[in-house]
Structures are given as C-alpha cells and as structure tokens.
Amino acid sequence: MTKLGTMFGSRVGLALAAGVLASAGPVAAADYDPPIYVDQAPEYKPVEVGSGWYLRGDVGYVFANRTGNVSYRTFDATPPGSYSGASFDTRGIGTDVAFSAGFGYHFNDWLRADATVEGFRADFNGTTTSSGACDAGLPGTTFCRSEDSSKFSSIGAMVNGYVDLGTFSGFTPYVGAGLGYSRVRWQGLDNALYCVGADCPSAAPVSNTRHDGESSWRFTYALMAGVAYDISQNLKLDLGYKYKHIQGGDMFGWDAATASAGATGIQGRDGGFGTHEVKVGLRYDLW
C-alpha cells in the first residue's frame, strides 16, 4: 500500500470512530438516572394527655392524739333561769385507722400539690365530779361522779403542697403542709351519774341521760414528712408522717329534761383535736 493510501485509510477510520461516538453520546445521556431523594417523615410522638398528673391513696394509723379542753354549760331553771360554765375533769379520744384519697400535679421535679378527701373515727370519754350528792334523796355525805362517752367521725377536704428533696437510688424524701376544712359529726353523748362515798346505797348509776350530738365544719391544717420509693416508672410507694389539727366546735346539746325546763342553745363544745399519724400509700403518675 502506498503512503497516500495509508493516510486515506487512517482518516476514514477516524471519521467512522467519531461517528460512532457521536451516535453513542445521546444514548448514554438518555440512560442516566439521577438519584431520587425522599424526605423521611418525622418520628411520631404520642401526646401525653395526663402528663404531670397523679392519683394517690393512703391508709394510716393514729398512734397519738390530743383533745383540747371540753367545756359545757349547766342550767338552773329557778326563775328567771341562769347558766354556769364548767369543764370535764378528764377527757380523751381514742382513734385508730385514718384514710385519704385524691389527685395531684407535678409542677416540676421539686414541687407538687394535691387535693385529698380524708377522714377518721374516734371515741370520746370524759369524767366530772361535784361536791354535792347526785340526787336530793342521797345522803349529804356523798358526792357525785359523772362518766360521759360518745363517738365522732371526721371527713374533710384538704389542699396540700410538697417539696421533693431530690431522688437518691429511687428514694425521694419530701416535706409538705396542707389546709382545708373537716366536718366533725358527733353522735349522742351518754351521761351516767354515780354516787361516790361510803354511804352510797348502790354502785349502780343514779341516772342515765342522753344528749344529742352536733355537727360543724372546722378549719383544719396538717404538716407532713416522708419518703417515696420508685416501684416502677409510674408507681411510687409513699411512707410518711402527718400531724393534723382540727379546730374546736359544737359537741352536744341539752338532755330532754333540761331542754324542757327552758335551757336553749348548745350545751357542750370540744376544744379541737390534734392527731399524730403514720401512713402508707401509693401514688400513680398518669404519664
């Protein structure tokens, strides 16, 4: 092959190669698929409808109590009628089980508050003595002893605030205080008079009378301290101490005979109650 032929063949080859590349370019471009980016949907988070709220229930044992002075009036029907003041020589109340239930709210990790309904029952016993005989028919050398007994129940509503003092290995100590009102309902007061002295003809009661009980709403306050333990994320065991003071109020009215003689109004008033209680309960967080 001559030199001219060789050059011609090379140029023809180059032209064919260029044509192939030119025709292949659009096909390659048509086959290219760019990446498709899809935005991920945000993670679903359920709305905490009950966040911060909790339920609670407690039972307690009243291991000590105190009652204020129990005062009463006596009535002399001799015209125009007169009243005199007196008080029990001894008085005491016996209580055992207390209860409470309610709901509350956590404001933050340190502060919370709740509203509770709570109550207890108690027995009352009191005595008085007088220098005179119980009855005109008894010897003047004797004197009279009165023994009185009754029962009452207290149920009230309290609003309480607490400071949680930090959590340590699942234990959260706290202090708190509460204010509210209690309705104290006295049952009837049973009064028995006994002759005292060597010349008494019998050891049986000289007389028995009954006084209707009274009911009233009283201001109440409480002081608390305790510790809660995390049983689970939502459930806590609460062990605590509570001091509660219930204001004094009406206690009992006149017996039927004295009322018929002209006595009016309330005869007896209690001086209020102070109770010391240990309690155990559960708190369930609604979140």
Side-chain angles (χ1 to χ4, degrees):
M1 182 179 295
T2 63
K3 184 177 181 180
L4 179 62
T6 301
M7 293 178 60
F8 177 79
S10 298
R11 289 181 180 180
V12 171
L14 290 173
L16 291 173
V20 171
L21 291 175
S23 62
V27 174
D31 291 340
Y32 173 73
D33 293 326
I36 299 175
Y37 297 96
V38 179
D39 293 335
Q40 293 183 348
E43 181 182 356
Y44 173 73
K45 294 183 179 180
V47 178
E48 295 180 347
V49 177
S51 179
W53 294 93
Y54 63 88
L55 300 176
R56 70 172 305 152
D58 303 88
V59 293
Y61 174 73
V62 180
F63 64 88
N65 54 72
R66 180 191 62 82
T67 180
N69 183 47
V70 180
S71 60
Y72 62 94
R73 299 186 299 163
T74 59
F75 178 69
D76 183 356
T78 303
S82 61
Y83 297 90
S84 299
S87 62
F88 281 85
D89 296 333
T90 65
R91 74 272 182 192
I93 59 173
T95 57
D96 44 23
V97 178
F99 71 89
S100 67
F103 64 92
Y105 184 77
H106 292 274
F107 296 101
N108 52 44
D109 291 340
W110 300 92
L111 298 175
R112 58 186 171 88
D114 55 43
T116 56
V117 175
E118 50 193 61
F120 66 95
R121 294 178 179 270
D123 300 324
F124 169 82
N125 290 281
T127 63
T128 59
T129 56
S130 61
S131 57
C134 293
D135 185 87
L138 294 173
T141 55
T142 64
F143 61 96
C144 190
R145 175 182 174 86
S146 172
E147 296 186 1
D148 302 81
S149 62
S150 184
K151 300 176 183 291
F152 72 89
S153 60
S154 169
I155 186 167
M158 300 287 291
V159 176
N160 311 289
Y162 307 88
V163 178
D164 290 327
L165 304 177
T167 300
F168 310 91
S169 300
F171 292 90
T172 306
Y174 65 86
V175 293
L179 296 174
Y181 279 88
S182 300
R183 183 166 180 81
V184 175
R185 180 179 179 276
W186 282 97
Q187 297 182 15
L189 179 78
D190 293 316
N191 168 248
L193 298 182
Y194 292 87
C195 177
V196 180
D199 297 328
C200 290
S202 172
V206 175
S207 66
N208 289 281
T209 57
R210 185 172 178 82
H211 305 250
D212 289 339
E214 300 292 329
S215 299
S216 59
W217 285 97
R218 290 119 173 266
F219 174 73
T220 305
Y221 70 85
L223 302 173
M224 293 86 74
V227 61
Y229 176 71
D230 295 333
I231 298 176
S232 67
Q233 182 177 359
N234 295 74
L235 187 63
K236 299 180 186 297
L237 176 67
D238 190 323
L239 178 64
Y241 160 83
K242 175 186 285 187
Y243 170 77
K244 181 190 289 186
H245 178 79
I246 301 176
Q247 193 175 43
D250 297 340
M251 182 176 176
F252 58 90
W254 300 96
D255 63 273
T258 308
S260 298
T264 59
I266 300 298
Q267 183 181 12
R269 290 177 56 86
D270 65 73
F273 316 102
T275 62
H276 300 269
E277 172 191 344
V278 289
K279 60 189 184 71
V280 62
L282 294 174
R283 299 204 317 259
Y284 182 76
D285 294 324
L286 300 175
W287 54 23

